[in-house]
Amino acid sequence: MDIKNLVTFIHVAELNSFTKAAKKLGYSQSTVSFQIRQLETELNSQLFERINHTIALTEKGREVLKYAHQVSKLTQELEESMRDEKDVKGYVRLATAVSLCDSLLGERFPDFRKRYPGITLKIIAAGTEEMFRLLNHNEADAILTLDNHIYDAEYVIAREEKRRVRFVAAADSPLCGKERITVQELVHEPFILTEKGMSYRRMMDEKLAEMSLEIRPVLEIGSTSLICSLVEQGAGISFLPDYVTDREVEAGRIAYLSVEDFEIEIWKQLLYHRDKWVSPQMESVIQYCIDREFTENTGYSAGSGS
């Protein structure tokens, strides 16, 4: 059996398209069709149902896909183990929330580049739902989420930790002098927030909606460092995880607000698909993410998984 046929089969199955698979593999569509027919002949089974220019895996096709992933994984592992290279090289795709990009690509990234000059890292900014779509279609090697706790046997949790999110304002804001603030009075303040629908912003909006309340921010932007800077200058207040604001709070530049009955907890999780072979370059990026996003951040309840 030709392993190339199995690789083509995986791409067609994940992309649900002969045309897209051909484009990604650099083949003609006729070549892809021939390889799939050849595989079906060898296995004496129909792997795809073809109806009105759409395709879907048959029951036998879904079974074959599991084995194809295992063969592909073992083949990649064998190829890597046979390489006589001291330096780790390769291409790694990491999908993550926009608000994590600042911390992820912070001060230690130049050191990572010096240590692994052969690794090309592609950061894909996306919402949680899109991250898992990318992971399931092998368009991302790993994902770093900031959302509700996610557990599914299909994924390996490389590391996770629970974090707290709070309302913050400039340290000299009149709001900081209040012992208790109701959400009802807070929503009328000027807010600077991350994009609507993204992780903790979405969770905040959902909780407010349950209370028949809504915040209309004066500015929406993905950069949490810029949000902190603007809050410090008194341009508005915000709703941010503690790991983003810890330094500014400790330095006395911004402060947490005492808001009644509004507790939200989020989970930062680093995951990859259970069928994904963890190559040396991917392992290096995962360890970098752990060091950068978990080990360095202290505070609210940490945990790990494997």
Side-chain angles (χ1 to χ4, degrees):
M1 183 179 296
D2 193 336
I3 292 177
K4 288 183 179 179
N5 291 353
L6 285 176
V7 172
T8 297
F9 168 67
I10 290 172
H11 280 80
V12 173
E14 291 178 342
L15 296 172
N16 288 318
S17 169
F18 282 74
T19 303
K20 290 179 181 178
K23 184 177 181 180
K24 187 165 186 178
L25 292 166
Y27 297 156
S28 66
Q29 186 170 338
S30 60
T31 297
V32 169
S33 297
F34 173 77
Q35 289 178 325
I36 297 301
R37 284 198 304 271
Q38 192 175 49
L39 185 61
E40 288 179 325
T41 299
E42 287 179 315
L43 296 174
N44 194 30
S45 298
Q46 183 177 342
L47 303 178
F48 293 100
E49 290 180 329
R50 302 163 176 86
I51 303 173
N52 294 329
H53 303 292
T54 63
I55 63 169
L57 283 169
T58 61
E59 189 63 36
K60 184 63 69 173
R62 284 190 285 272
E63 183 180 346
V64 172
L65 183 60
K66 293 180 182 179
Y67 287 106
H69 274 301
Q70 293 175 22
V71 171
S72 178
K73 178 180 177 181
L74 288 171
T75 301
Q76 291 176 351
E77 190 171 352
L78 176 62
E79 289 174 350
E80 286 290 340
S81 66
M82 292 298 102
R83 288 179 184 170
D84 185 19
E85 293 181 340
K86 294 182 180 179
D87 297 330
V88 177
K89 298 179 181 179
Y91 185 74
V92 180
R93 304 157 300 174
L94 177 69
T96 187
V98 176
S99 57
L100 286 174
C101 291
D102 283 344
S103 58
L104 187 64
L105 302 176
E107 297 172 355
R108 289 191 61 181
F109 187 67
D111 293 333
F112 175 82
R113 286 291 303 131
K114 289 179 182 178
R115 184 175 180 181
Y116 300 107
I119 293 180
T120 298
L121 177 60
K122 179 179 180 180
I123 301 294
I124 307 168
T128 304
E129 185 177 341
E130 174 64 7
M131 287 186 216
F132 279 96
R133 188 196 69 78
L134 293 169
L135 201 61
N136 292 335
H137 288 81
N138 198 29
E139 295 175 32
D141 300 303
I143 61 175
L144 182 61
T145 69
L146 195 61
D147 214 308
N148 293 309
H149 188 266
I150 297 163
Y151 175 76
D152 190 312
E154 289 292 310
Y155 311 110
V156 175
I157 301 174
R159 185 64 64 89
E160 63 179 12
E161 68 179 12
K162 184 165 58 175
R163 306 297 281 175
R164 189 174 180 181
V165 195
R166 290 190 267 189
F167 292 103
V168 292
D172 59 358
S173 168
L175 292 169
C176 296
K178 295 187 175 183
E179 291 186 5
R180 287 293 173 185
I181 306 170
T182 65
V183 178
Q184 285 79 3
E185 62 181 303
L186 198 65
V187 295
H188 300 295
E189 296 290 329
F191 268 85
I192 302 171
L193 300 172
T194 52
E195 301 97 322
K196 191 175 182 65
M198 298 294 280
S199 58
Y200 51 88
R201 165 70 192 281
R202 188 198 73 249
M203 295 164 73
M204 179 197 72
D205 286 340
E206 290 173 351
K207 189 171 181 67
L208 286 172
E210 292 174 2
M211 304 167 70
S212 299
L213 296 172
E214 180 184 9
I215 289 175
R216 295 185 178 180
V218 296
L219 176 65
E220 292 180 319
I221 190 167
S223 173
T224 52
S225 61
L226 182 54
I227 291 176
C228 282
S229 177
L230 292 171
V231 168
E232 181 186 343
Q233 296 172 48
I237 64 177
S238 192
F239 186 70
L240 294 168
D242 285 1
Y243 77 88
V244 171
T245 59
D246 277 345
R247 290 184 181 179
E248 284 73 12
V249 170
E250 289 175 7
R253 294 189 289 268
I254 65 177
Y256 301 126
L257 299 180
S258 300
V259 181
E260 294 180 338
D261 302 321
F262 204 91
E263 290 289 327
I264 288 182
E265 293 175 347
I266 58 172
W267 283 80
K268 185 188 293 184
Q269 293 181 286
L270 179 62
L271 309 97
Y272 58 90
H273 201 281
R274 69 176 184 182
D275 294 329
K276 184 74 178 178
W277 175 60
V278 181
S279 63
Q281 60 267 25
M282 182 174 160
E283 184 176 7
S284 300
V285 170
I286 286 175
Q287 188 57 54
Y288 168 74
C289 290
I290 290 173
D291 293 342
R292 186 73 189 141
E293 290 297 326
F294 297 89
T295 309
E296 291 185 355
N297 293 313
T298 59
Y300 201 73
S301 182
S304 64
S306 59

